[in-house]
C-alpha cells in the first residue's frame, strides 16, 4: 500500500493528512487553543468522590476536572514507591492484552481516594463536548517500537502483528530487556527490528519515567509534569512506518525539526522527509482540502452512483446506505450486494477520516441471501482492520442493521472544525416561512383584541415580510376589517428568519 504523510504547518494550526493510495484516510488538526492532551501526565488533586458512580473527579488545572474510574486507580497509595524499588517476578506473557488493561481492584472508590488527596494521572481521552478529560493513574509511555507501563509487569504484543514466528521472536527479545517490575507493549512498528533498537527505546522510556516520578514528588497540585511531543514529531513516531513513501512538510522550520528527529531515530528513512516548495498550498496540491470539505457534508457519494448519509448525534452515529443512481446489471440481489460491498470500504474510510466514535449503527440495504450478508460483514471487518482505533461489530440484524463501536479519544472532525449554526442552534432546521407567517397572524389577533391604537406594526425578516404581503395579503386585509386597525409590515434584514415583532403603534 502506497502511504504518504502530508503536513501543513501554519501559525497557530498544524494539519496532518494520512494518504493511502493517494486517498485521504485520516486527518489530524492541532490548534494552539485546543491541542490534544492524550498522553500528558498531571499531578492533580481529588475534588470529588462519587460512590454511586464508582468514580472521582480530579482537578488537574483545566477548566473542567478530569474523570477517573475506580478501575483506573491503584489498589494502594504506596504504589509509586513500590514501582521504584519493585523486584516482583514478571507476569505471564499476554498476547492480546490491550494498552489500558489493568488489574481489577477489589476496593471501592471511597476506599481508594478521598477529597483533597493528590494523585498522578495520565490523560487517556480528550475533553469531548461538555465532558472533561478521562484520566488513569496507570501510566503508559509510548516510544517508537514499545510502550512502557511502569505499573503492570508483563510483556504484551499488538494484535496487528499476526505472524506467529515474529510474535514469538519479539516477545523473547523484549522479554529479556524489560525492566524488572515493569510492563512493555510491543507496537506494530517493532516488526523486523532487533535488540539494539528495543534496548534504546526501553532505556529512553525508563529514564523518562524516572524524570516524571521525580517531578511528581516536588510539583504542586494541580500541575502538568509531562507533555507528549508536538503533533509533528508524534505523528512521525507513530505513523512513519517502512510502507510510508514520504513525509512532505510545507514549513521549513518544521521540516528541519522533523528531519533532525528522523535522522537520529530512523537514519535509514531520513531521505523520505521532503520540504514542499511549490507556491500551490500543500493540501490543494494533494487534493486534501476538497476531501475535508466533503467530509463535513452528511452525504457521501460512491463511485457506482450509490451514496451514504452520515448523521452524528450526541449519543451515536447513524450511517444509511442507499442505492442512489446505481441500477445494477444483473439481479436485484446482486445489485444490493455490490452497493453494500462498495459501502463497506467508504464507510470504514469515513469513520477514520471524520474520527467518529462511540456507538455506530449502519443501515445496509436489506438482502435476502444469508451468504451475501455474511460476505458484507466479512468485508466490513477486513476494512476495519486498517483502523488504528479499536472497533467491535455485531452480526447483521433482520432489518439489515449492523451495530458497532469505535473507540473515541477526541472530538470528531465535524465538531473540531464546525460550530452550531447561529440560525438553527444545531438542530439543522428552522421553521418555514409559512409557519412563521401563521405565528405572526395569531400574534396580530392577540395584539389587536387588546389594543386601543389604530395601527399594528409587524417587523419580520424580508422573506417572511414578502410572504405576508403576497400569499397572506387577504388574511391581513380581513384582520384590518375585523378589528378596524391598519396593519403595517416592515422588512428587517437584521432579524433572524424565525423572529418577528408585533406591536401596536
Amino acid at each position: 500500500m502506497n502511504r504518504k504523510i502530508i503536513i501543513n504547518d501554519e501559525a497557530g494550526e498544524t494539519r496532518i493528512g494520512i494518504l493511502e493510495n493517494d486517498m485521504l484516510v485520516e486527518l489530524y488538526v492541532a490548534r494552539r487553543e485546543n491541542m490534544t492532551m492524550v498522553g500528558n501526565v498531571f499531578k492533580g488533586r481529588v475534588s470529588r468522590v462519587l460512590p454511586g458512580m464508582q468514580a472521582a473527579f480530579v482537578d488537574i488545572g483545566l477548566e473542567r476536572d478530569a474523570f477517573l474510574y475506580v478501575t483506573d486507580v491503584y489498589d494502594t497509595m504506596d504504589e509509586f514507591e513500590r514501582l521504584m524499588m519493585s523486584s516482583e517476578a514478571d507476569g505471564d506473557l499476554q498476547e492480546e492484552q490491550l494498552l489500558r488493561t489493568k488489574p481489577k481492584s477489589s476496593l471501592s472508590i471511597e476506599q481508594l481516594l478521598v477529597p483533597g488527596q493528590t494523585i498522578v494521572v495520565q490523560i487517556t481521552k480528550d475533553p469531548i463536548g461538555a465532558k472533561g478529560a478521562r484520566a488513569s493513574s496507570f501510566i503508559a509511555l509510548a516510544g517508537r517500537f514499545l510502550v512502557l507501563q511502569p505499573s503492570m509487569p508483563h510483556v504484551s504484543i499488538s494484535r496487528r502483528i499476526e505472524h506467529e514466528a515474529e510474535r514469538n521472536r519479539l516477545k523473547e527479545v523484549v522479554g529479556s530487556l524489560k525492566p524488572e517490575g515493569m510492563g512493555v507493549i510491543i507496537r506494530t512498528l517493532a516488526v523486523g527490528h532487533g535488540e539494539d533498537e528495543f534496548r534504546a527505546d526501553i532505556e529512553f522510556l525508563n529514564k523518562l519515567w524516572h524524570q516524571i516520578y521525580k517531578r511528581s514528588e516536588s510539583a504542586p497540585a494541580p500541575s502538568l509534569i509531562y507533555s507528549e511531543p508536538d503533533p509533528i514529531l508524534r505523528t512521525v513516531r507513530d505513523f512513519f512506518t517502512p510502507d510510508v513513501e514520504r513525509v512532505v512538510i510545507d514549513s521549513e522550520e518544521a521540516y528541519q525539526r522533523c528531519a533532525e528527529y528522523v535522522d537520529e531515530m530512523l537514519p535509514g528513512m531520513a531521505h523520505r522527509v521532503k520540504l514542499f516548495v511549490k507556491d500551490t498550498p500543500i493540501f490543494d496540491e494533494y487534493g486534501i482540502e476538497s476531501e475535508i470539505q466533503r467530509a463535513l457534508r452528511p452525504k457521501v457519494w460512491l463511485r457506482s452512483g450509490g451514496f451514504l448519509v452520515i448523521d452524528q448525534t450526541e449519543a451515536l452515529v447513524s450511517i444509511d446506505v442507499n442505492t442512489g443512481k446505481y441500477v445494477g446489471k444483473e439481479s436485484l440481489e446482486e445489485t444490493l450486494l455490490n452497493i453494500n460491498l462498495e459501502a463497506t470500504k467508504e464507510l470504514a474510510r469515513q469513520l477514520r477520516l471524520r474520527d467518529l466514535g462511540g456507538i455506530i449503527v449502519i443501515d445496509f440495504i436489506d438482502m435476502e441471501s444469508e451468504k451475501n450478508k455474511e460476505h458484507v460483514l466479512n468485508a466490513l471487518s477486513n476494512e476495519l482492520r486498517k483502523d488504528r482505533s479499536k472497533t467491535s461489530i455485531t452480526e447483521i440484524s433482520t432489518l439489515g442493521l449492523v451495530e458497532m463501536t469505535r473507540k473515541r479519544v477526541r472530538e470528531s472532525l465535524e465538531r473540531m472544525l464546525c460550530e452550531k449554526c447561529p440560525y438553527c442552534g444545531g438542530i439543522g432546521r428552522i421553521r418555514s416561512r409559512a409557519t412563521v407567517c401563521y405565528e405572526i397572524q395569531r400574534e396580530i389577533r392577540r395584539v389587536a383584541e387588546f389594543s386601543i391604537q389604530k395601527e399594528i406594526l409587524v417587523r419580520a425578516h424580508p422573506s417572511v415580510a414578502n410572504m405576508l404581503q403576497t400569499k397572506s395579503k387577504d388574511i391581513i386585509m380581513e384582520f384590518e376589517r375585523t378589528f378596524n386597525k391598519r396593519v403595517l409590515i416592515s422588512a428587517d434584514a437584521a432579524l433572524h428568519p424565525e423572529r418577528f415583532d408585533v406591536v401596536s403603534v
Side-chain angles (χ1 to χ4, degrees), residues 39-266:
N40 290 358
V41 179
F42 291 82
K43 183 175 181 179
R45 189 179 301 278
V46 178
S47 57
R48 281 194 296 162
V49 175
L50 308 174
M53 296 183 66
Q54 282 301 292
F57 284 103
V58 180
D59 178 10
I60 56 175
L62 302 179
E63 182 180 349
R64 294 191 295 271
D65 290 351
F67 192 72
L68 184 67
Y69 279 112
V70 65
T71 53
D72 290 306
V73 185
Y74 288 136
D75 280 356
T76 71
M77 295 302 103
D78 299 324
E79 188 69 13
F80 267 170
E81 287 75 7
R82 185 196 68 75
L83 292 174
M84 302 310 295
M85 49 191 180
S86 172
S87 60
E88 66 181 69
D90 185 15
D92 293 337
L93 299 180
Q94 301 293 326
E95 295 188 5
E96 305 300 343
Q97 194 159 351
L98 298 174
L99 179 61
R100 292 291 166 190
T101 300
K102 299 166 286 291
K104 298 296 183 182
S105 173
S106 59
L107 302 178
S108 62
I109 191 70
E110 59 268 35
Q111 292 175 298
L112 295 170
L113 298 174
V114 295
Q117 177 183 327
T118 60
I119 184 172
V120 175
V121 295
Q122 184 175 40
I123 303 303
T124 60
K125 183 185 292 186
D126 280 324
I128 297 176
K131 298 178 181 178
R134 173 81 182 269
S136 171
S137 62
F138 292 85
I139 310 300
L141 303 175
R144 172 69 180 170
F145 306 110
L146 308 171
V147 176
L148 183 69
Q149 293 184 296
S151 60
M152 289 177 279
H154 65 86
V155 175
S156 61
I157 188 165
S158 168
R159 286 189 174 102
R160 294 179 179 273
I161 303 175
E162 298 179 349
H163 196 277
E164 194 62 31
E166 179 66 0
R167 292 175 69 88
N168 292 334
R169 183 190 73 84
L170 291 171
K171 288 189 292 184
E172 183 177 351
V173 172
V174 173
S176 65
L177 300 173
K178 183 184 71 66
E180 192 172 13
M182 296 188 183
V184 174
I185 295 174
I186 303 169
R187 306 184 71 183
T188 309
L189 293 171
V191 172
H193 293 275
E195 182 175 335
D196 292 342
E197 293 157 307
F198 300 151
R199 180 180 288 107
D201 231 15
I202 287 176
E203 288 177 354
F204 169 77
L205 294 173
N206 198 18
K207 181 179 178 181
L208 176 61
W209 162 245
H210 281 74
Q211 290 173 349
I212 292 172
Y213 175 78
K214 188 174 181 180
R215 289 174 194 156
S216 73
E217 291 183 307
S218 56
S223 63
L224 174 69
I225 56 178
Y226 168 72
S227 179
E228 277 277 276
D230 69 65
I232 294 177
L233 297 187
R234 189 164 62 242
T235 297
V236 172
R237 181 193 70 190
D238 295 341
F239 290 94
F240 196 14
T241 54
D243 64 340
V244 173
E245 183 182 290
R246 60 182 177 270
V247 177
V248 188
I249 309 173
D250 65 355
S251 161
E252 187 166 357
E253 187 275 331
Y255 163 76
Q256 292 293 344
R257 191 168 73 250
C258 182
E260 290 174 5
Y261 177 84
V262 174
D263 191 49
E264 179 182 353
M265 303 297 293
L266 305 160

Side-chain angles (χ1 to χ4, degrees), residues 393-408:
I393 63 175
T394 64
E395 298 294 324
I396 297 182
S397 72
T398 55
L399 299 177
L401 301 177
V402 172
E403 296 174 8
M404 64 169 287
T405 60
R406 184 175 185 269
K407 185 176 180 181
R408 180 164 54 185

Side-chain angles (χ1 to χ4, degrees), residues 255-315:
Y255 163 76
Q256 292 293 344
R257 191 168 73 250
C258 182
E260 290 174 5
Y261 177 84
V262 174
D263 191 49
E264 179 182 353
M265 303 297 293
L266 305 160
M269 297 169 65
H271 66 283
R272 302 187 193 182
V273 180
K274 308 290 184 182
L275 176 64
F276 185 78
V277 294
K278 294 184 180 181
D279 293 332
T280 309
I282 189 170
F283 269 28
D284 288 347
E285 177 72 14
Y286 287 91
I288 297 176
E289 206 69 69
S290 58
E291 280 292 319
I292 295 174
Q293 297 306 314
R294 281 193 285 269
L296 297 176
R297 300 171 188 162
K299 182 179 288 188
V300 182
W301 286 98
L302 305 176
R303 290 185 178 181
S304 64
F307 63 90
L308 310 176
V309 177
I310 302 174
D311 187 19
Q312 180 183 2
T313 69
E314 188 66 31

Side-chain angles (χ1 to χ4, degrees), residues 444 456-460 464-466 468-469 476 487-491:
I444 290 174
I456 294 175
L457 175 64
V458 178
R459 289 175 58 248
V464 176
N466 180 64
L468 286 170
Q469 292 168 330
I476 297 298
V487 178
L488 306 175
I489 299 173
S490 173

